Amino acid sequence: MARFLLLRLGLIVVTLLVISFAVFGVTEVLPGDVATQILGQGATPENIAVVRERLGLDDPWPVRYLSWVGGVVRGDLGESLVQRLPITEMVGSRLVNSLILASFTFFVAMPIAVAVGIWAGVHRNSLGDRLASMFSLVAISLPEFVTGVVLIILFSTTLGWLPSSSLVEPGTNPLTRPQILVLPALTLTGVMFAYVMRMTRANVIEVLETNYVRSAILKGLPMRRVIWRHVVPNAMLPTISVITLNIGWLLGGLIIVENVFSYPGIGRMLLTSIQTRDMPLLQALALLIAATYAVSNLFADLAYTWLNPRIRFA
Amino acid sequence: MSIASFLSPATQESVAPPAEGVPLLEVRDLSVTFYTPRGTVRAVRHASFTVRRGEVLGLVGESGCGKSTVAFATLAYLPGTAEVGGSILFEGRDLMTMPAGELRDLRGSRIAMVYQDPGSALNPTMRVGEQVEEVLHTHLGLSGQAAEERAASLFESVGLPNPARVGRRFPHELSGGQQQRVVIAMALACEPDLLLMDEPTTGLDVTTEATILDLVAELKNRVNAGIVFVSHNLGVIARVADRVAVMYAGQVIEEAPVRELFANPSHPYTAGLLSCVPAPVNETGLMPQLRNIPGSVYPASEPNVDACLFADRCPMVQDICRESAPPEIVANAEGHPVRCFFPERVDSDTWGEPAPRPRKPRSTNEAPLLQVDGLHQYYGNDRKKYIFFGPPSRRPVRANVDVDFAIQPGRTLGIVGESGSGKSTAARSIAGLERRTSGEVLLDGEPLAAGVGDRPRGQQSKVRMVFQNPAASLNPRLPIGSVLVRSIRKSRSVGKAEARGIAVELLESVGLDGGYMDRRPRELSGGQQQRVALAAAFAADPELIIADEAVSALDVSVQAQVLNLIAERQRREGTAFMFITHDLGVVRYISDDILVLYGGHVVETGPAEAVLRPPWSPYTEALLSAAPVPDPDAEPSRIRLEGAVPTLRQPFAGCPFAGRCPRNLGDLCDNTPPPMRVDPADPRHQILCHIPLEELAADQRAAMRGRSAVGEAPGGR
Amino acid sequence: MDRFSGPTGTYWLGTDEFGRDIFSRVLSGATSIILVSAAGTALGILLGTIVGLSSGYAGGKVDEIVMRVMDGLMSFPALLLALLVLTTLGSSHVNIILTIGIVFMPRVARVLRSATLSIKTMEFVQSARLRGEPAYYIIFREILPNTTPVLTVEASVRLSYAVLLASSLGFLGLGVQPPSPDWGLMISEGRAHIANAPLIVLAPSVAVASLVIGVNLLAEGLREARELPKGERTP
């Protein structure tokens, strides 16, 4: 187990290196000179040269890559070109905001989705199952910005119950006005919930058809025990991989939802950095999001291993 | 469905109380039909039989004849799409109309089941102890310590090693035989009155099968239960059953006490089945040619008709057989029920006189076709200790160690051994599908490259392989003809039209007509698919065909067709065969020479008649004594091997077989590699053993005499 | 010019802030998103199939390295990868198609590779190797046709993701550049006028939703027809 953990941690480091390299590479080949962008079109060549010098833009790319990665390792994400502030400072509160939104969705939607999925799988083809399947098919078909906008029209513009944008007063955090979280969370939940529910249902159905569940039924066990002791643990294994993959989806959804509701998280910041061509900020945010994804994958892997005796003892 | 008119005397009694004389289980006119999106499947058309306490009813038949469906119906476990006719009475009560709650109370406590493929019947994420304890908890209310102790004693009673601790294991940590013992322990947990065993030894090694059958035979005396034992294997049935019901196309066509059935089969199908099975051990020299049943089983997709369903395959068919269904059951002269118009006409010649097998000309050419010297095959492990760096994370598995043998042109080498003995690996590395680690392989004196892709075209077309699974042997997306044409054009320069002509001839040579050229593999039965695979192998006119368990997946009635095709090809074209099988009867029937592998090592080799007679290597002896014999009077031999072939990461200090050998001499065998001893009677016969051959032969002859004095069937064999 | 006109006989769904007919904008937006999604999916399937089949068939070290690279590509959330690529390349139809292709390639490759791994051990493939067939023949004639059930289901599932991805990119302003009609962008820009003319937003919303639902129903139907298990889908 310890060896497994070490291996996985080693793999994470490798993955992060690859990601950092890719992020750096992508942003490096961007057209347009950063110094020109900072100084505007009217800048003199002399001024540009000075700025280039200061930012180290004339160094060969391996040097720039190493100094960037070195900074990241020390917790220094560089300086935003637009706001002229250390990115580490800018990102802090945004990250907290995003995590609040994401974990709210994750920890509320996932358990319910899994529970509904199990129920629907066990009661396959019942009226409830059909309704759930229909609902989830519609839900996975709606992009977040559509759900979000429709919810705004419904609950904000028409009914006036909830705010249409989720601005957070500077210096406070979203939990001081929890009502602003409701619509973004609901939007973010839609696709995830439907997706995880469908996968859970499919896995439950698959396990229900295995020979060992047949054995359990023919042992005369009460249906309750068959489901909870034989079906669910085995159906959860593939479901965990699915949930893992969904974390990536959740992070993507976060980018959109934050922009729909003007919610001050890293997703909104990412888009702003793209629009303002703030490369150091874009690099930092992309790395941050990818790293979050990699780490959550690690946790999912550990859960999978812990649940699966075949791997646990291998 | 025709209305059953026949009622056995027992069923005319009142049904209500489970009185004396009511059979434990009575299946009456059972029919089961599945309505699936792909069409209607009539799995069981008409089955009636009874089971009494303390007896074993063998339910025998080929695949697709409905025997497993009958077993599951007896637990009222059928999908919702199934339509059931007739009744299944357990102590006089109909299981089909029983309320769900009562049914649940019966299942696992009074009626229990043992399944085929025990690996999939156990929950992979649950310790086996808990899987037994939950039965005890549900039906007997035992829990905690009491349940654990009872589980341990159950494990002990089914012969699991270390019963107190085995419950802590997960299924994947146990061997196939041990898994099946756990399943049996689970079934016995509440001392059931009726035990259903559905092909419990199919898929297990013959050595493991023998130990499980011993356990079943012992259970028969120990528990006072009725047992329904489902199997396709007549040898297995002969070993455990008291009475036998033979099923064909969803009907029970004959039922009789086991000795009566094997001695006087009264249905032509039963007689045919019995004459299809090659017997493993036989003191007479050449075996007569195997007879086979032409055609294939009446398909379950076909509707019920008013005719005998066996008519199209029957050698004694009359007009009446096609015009009306034979009476439900006619008691024949010997008093056992059979579904045939002319049971009295069935005798040993129903399927023709046994044709003597044409003798092969003794090989005059002494130069071997294939010469294998020092073949080593290790499965390395690419994974390093630290992902990409460091030493290999595990030692390589040694699948073949220093294997030597030769095949003469036009002859057949049979290779036998349990799974894990390295026989398939040897085949695959000679064919070039896997690269051997070291060693030399010569074909016609020319060295063969390790990988098939590195061999010149001429050599490629000299070696072909036929595989176990006929369904996977042909590309499901391509018509039959295309693989044949492709093979032909790969090996000789002919045009497309000409190749098609040759392909049709090939199909005809394996008993299929040219109309099959444009069919897809899934439209063919398993036997037909395997014959096409043979035709594809013949297409290149190869000198050597490697058959890896080529008949193991086939029903006995079509197995003989394929074996006879191979024999005929060999006689006509002089093709050499390397025939890998776990079935000793088949190997005896087909082989000129035999090679016995254990743990990747050759433990015995020589001409077939010498290998199959004492002296045997102790491993060969164990294999032979484990093989089920289709003769109820055969006294089972006492030699049993426990466990399985070990995973071979470490070289053996002594004899590879020492760990399981019943004749282990102790330190010598454990720590000193044994010599390859040469049989003075035939120097080609060699045995890897520390025990001198005279001693082995004397011991083994004595053991055989001891057995045949007790068990030789009247009239001999 | 009628700005914010309600539905009339001329403008079935009314007009937007510039007086443009919403209905015709939704219609012409459909052509572009369907083309982009279908082409992107086709590209992703093509690349993924080639990579997955070859890597799976080759096995060993090659396979190990190729799949590590694919894993690396997949360690970016899809939308993030798409944003990075589009920011680099600039927005255009061709670039969006390329982006979708790149995002889908590793996911398709993984599915096809696992299908290949199970097919390549099958006996008919071994027979083809014994006949001396070259690798390309085995990959494309023996293995590829047997992956069609997986492939059709995968393609239909991917298509629905492609529509979601393309419209999301449009919404974030990285889709087709205005004034060409793009459903995502229409929704994004229409948000300012929700109170005046909800149809500006609702019409393209319904359009996206019904397109994706349609594709998903198709995928569902294909899966059932192929009797494939609802295997792991990678969003």
Short mmCIF file of all heavy atoms in Angstrom, two decimals, chain C residues 63-85:
data_model
loop_
_atom_site.label_atom_id
_atom_site.label_comp_id
_atom_site.label_asym_id
_atom_site.label_seq_id
_atom_site.Cartn_x
_atom_site.Cartn_y
_atom_site.Cartn_z
N ASP C 63 3.04 1.26 -26.79
CA ASP C 63 1.70 1.46 -26.25
C ASP C 63 1.79 2.23 -24.93
O ASP C 63 1.04 3.18 -24.71
CB ASP C 63 1.06 0.07 -26.02
CG ASP C 63 -0.35 0.18 -25.51
OD1 ASP C 63 -1.09 1.03 -26.01
OD2 ASP C 63 -0.70 -0.59 -24.61
N GLU C 64 2.72 1.81 -24.12
CA GLU C 64 2.90 2.45 -22.81
C GLU C 64 3.13 3.95 -22.97
O GLU C 64 2.47 4.77 -22.34
CB GLU C 64 4.10 1.80 -22.11
CG GLU C 64 4.36 2.31 -20.72
CD GLU C 64 3.78 1.39 -19.67
OE1 GLU C 64 3.01 0.48 -20.02
OE2 GLU C 64 4.08 1.59 -18.50
N ILE C 65 4.05 4.30 -23.88
CA ILE C 65 4.40 5.71 -24.05
C ILE C 65 3.23 6.48 -24.66
O ILE C 65 2.84 7.54 -24.17
CB ILE C 65 5.66 5.85 -24.94
CG1 ILE C 65 6.86 5.30 -24.16
CG2 ILE C 65 5.88 7.29 -25.36
CD1 ILE C 65 8.09 5.08 -24.99
N VAL C 66 2.63 5.93 -25.72
CA VAL C 66 1.51 6.63 -26.37
C VAL C 66 0.39 6.88 -25.36
O VAL C 66 -0.17 7.97 -25.28
CB VAL C 66 0.99 5.81 -27.57
CG1 VAL C 66 -0.30 6.41 -28.09
CG2 VAL C 66 2.03 5.76 -28.67
N MET C 67 0.08 5.86 -24.55
CA MET C 67 -1.04 6.04 -23.63
C MET C 67 -0.70 7.02 -22.51
O MET C 67 -1.57 7.71 -22.02
CB MET C 67 -1.50 4.70 -23.05
CG MET C 67 -2.24 3.80 -24.03
SD MET C 67 -3.16 4.61 -25.36
CE MET C 67 -4.63 5.14 -24.54
N ARG C 68 0.57 7.10 -22.14
CA ARG C 68 0.96 8.11 -21.14
C ARG C 68 0.73 9.52 -21.69
O ARG C 68 0.25 10.40 -20.98
CB ARG C 68 2.42 7.96 -20.75
CG ARG C 68 2.71 6.83 -19.78
CD ARG C 68 2.64 7.31 -18.33
NE ARG C 68 2.62 6.17 -17.43
CZ ARG C 68 1.54 5.50 -17.10
NH1 ARG C 68 0.35 5.88 -17.54
NH2 ARG C 68 1.60 4.45 -16.29
N VAL C 69 1.07 9.69 -22.99
CA VAL C 69 0.85 11.00 -23.60
C VAL C 69 -0.64 11.31 -23.63
O VAL C 69 -1.08 12.42 -23.30
CB VAL C 69 1.44 11.03 -25.03
CG1 VAL C 69 1.05 12.32 -25.73
CG2 VAL C 69 2.95 10.89 -24.97
N MET C 70 -1.44 10.31 -23.98
CA MET C 70 -2.89 10.52 -24.02
C MET C 70 -3.41 10.86 -22.62
O MET C 70 -4.25 11.74 -22.46
CB MET C 70 -3.60 9.25 -24.51
CG MET C 70 -3.28 8.87 -25.96
SD MET C 70 -3.93 10.09 -27.11
CE MET C 70 -2.49 10.43 -28.07
N ASP C 71 -2.88 10.16 -21.61
CA ASP C 71 -3.28 10.47 -20.24
C ASP C 71 -2.94 11.91 -19.90
O ASP C 71 -3.72 12.61 -19.25
CB ASP C 71 -2.55 9.54 -19.25
CG ASP C 71 -3.20 8.18 -19.19
OD1 ASP C 71 -4.29 8.03 -19.78
OD2 ASP C 71 -2.63 7.26 -18.57
N GLY C 72 -1.76 12.34 -20.36
CA GLY C 72 -1.36 13.71 -20.11
C GLY C 72 -2.35 14.69 -20.72
O GLY C 72 -2.80 15.63 -20.07
N LEU C 73 -2.76 14.42 -21.97
CA LEU C 73 -3.74 15.28 -22.62
C LEU C 73 -5.06 15.27 -21.86
O LEU C 73 -5.75 16.28 -21.76
CB LEU C 73 -3.99 14.82 -24.06
CG LEU C 73 -2.94 15.24 -25.09
CD1 LEU C 73 -3.27 14.61 -26.43
CD2 LEU C 73 -2.92 16.75 -25.21
N MET C 74 -5.38 14.11 -21.31
CA MET C 74 -6.66 14.02 -20.61
C MET C 74 -6.60 14.61 -19.21
O MET C 74 -7.63 14.75 -18.57
CB MET C 74 -7.11 12.56 -20.54
CG MET C 74 -7.79 12.13 -21.82
SD MET C 74 -8.86 10.73 -21.58
CE MET C 74 -7.69 9.47 -21.28
N SER C 75 -5.38 14.92 -18.74
CA SER C 75 -5.33 15.48 -17.39
C SER C 75 -5.73 16.95 -17.39
O SER C 75 -5.75 17.58 -16.35
CB SER C 75 -3.95 15.28 -16.78
OG SER C 75 -3.00 15.96 -17.54
N PHE C 76 -6.04 17.50 -18.58
CA PHE C 76 -6.68 18.81 -18.62
C PHE C 76 -8.18 18.61 -18.71
O PHE C 76 -8.64 17.82 -19.54
CB PHE C 76 -6.26 19.57 -19.88
CG PHE C 76 -4.88 20.12 -19.82
CD1 PHE C 76 -3.81 19.39 -20.31
CD2 PHE C 76 -4.65 21.35 -19.26
CE1 PHE C 76 -2.53 19.89 -20.25
CE2 PHE C 76 -3.37 21.86 -19.20
CZ PHE C 76 -2.30 21.13 -19.69
N PRO C 77 -8.94 19.32 -17.92
CA PRO C 77 -10.38 19.32 -18.16
C PRO C 77 -10.63 19.77 -19.59
O PRO C 77 -9.93 20.66 -20.09
CB PRO C 77 -10.91 20.33 -17.15
CG PRO C 77 -9.89 20.39 -16.08
CD PRO C 77 -8.58 20.10 -16.73
N ALA C 78 -11.60 19.13 -20.26
CA ALA C 78 -11.80 19.36 -21.69
C ALA C 78 -11.93 20.84 -22.04
O ALA C 78 -11.29 21.32 -22.97
CB ALA C 78 -13.04 18.59 -22.16
N LEU C 79 -12.76 21.54 -21.28
CA LEU C 79 -13.01 22.94 -21.63
C LEU C 79 -11.74 23.78 -21.48
O LEU C 79 -11.47 24.66 -22.28
CB LEU C 79 -14.13 23.50 -20.75
CG LEU C 79 -14.62 24.89 -21.15
CD1 LEU C 79 -15.25 24.87 -22.52
CD2 LEU C 79 -15.59 25.44 -20.13
N LEU C 80 -10.95 23.46 -20.45
CA LEU C 80 -9.72 24.21 -20.24
C LEU C 80 -8.76 24.01 -21.41
O LEU C 80 -8.18 24.95 -21.93
CB LEU C 80 -9.06 23.76 -18.92
CG LEU C 80 -7.75 24.45 -18.56
CD1 LEU C 80 -7.97 25.94 -18.35
CD2 LEU C 80 -7.12 23.83 -17.34
N LEU C 81 -8.64 22.76 -21.82
CA LEU C 81 -7.75 22.46 -22.95
C LEU C 81 -8.23 23.21 -24.19
O LEU C 81 -7.44 23.83 -24.91
CB LEU C 81 -7.72 20.95 -23.22
CG LEU C 81 -6.78 20.49 -24.33
CD1 LEU C 81 -5.35 20.88 -24.03
CD2 LEU C 81 -6.86 18.98 -24.52
N ALA C 82 -9.54 23.18 -24.41
CA ALA C 82 -10.10 23.86 -25.57
C ALA C 82 -9.81 25.37 -25.50
O ALA C 82 -9.41 25.98 -26.49
CB ALA C 82 -11.59 23.62 -25.66
N LEU C 83 -9.98 25.94 -24.32
CA LEU C 83 -9.73 27.37 -24.16
C LEU C 83 -8.27 27.70 -24.47
O LEU C 83 -7.97 28.65 -25.18
CB LEU C 83 -10.06 27.82 -22.73
CG LEU C 83 -11.53 27.95 -22.37
CD1 LEU C 83 -11.70 28.33 -20.92
CD2 LEU C 83 -12.19 28.99 -23.27
N LEU C 84 -7.37 26.86 -23.92
CA LEU C 84 -5.94 27.11 -24.14
C LEU C 84 -5.62 27.03 -25.63
O LEU C 84 -4.93 27.90 -26.17
CB LEU C 84 -5.10 26.10 -23.36
CG LEU C 84 -5.00 26.34 -21.86
CD1 LEU C 84 -4.17 25.24 -21.20
CD2 LEU C 84 -4.38 27.71 -21.57
N VAL C 85 -6.12 25.98 -26.27
CA VAL C 85 -5.79 25.79 -27.68
C VAL C 85 -6.34 26.95 -28.51
O VAL C 85 -5.65 27.51 -29.37
CB VAL C 85 -6.33 24.44 -28.19
CG1 VAL C 85 -6.11 24.32 -29.69
CG2 VAL C 85 -5.66 23.30 -27.47
#
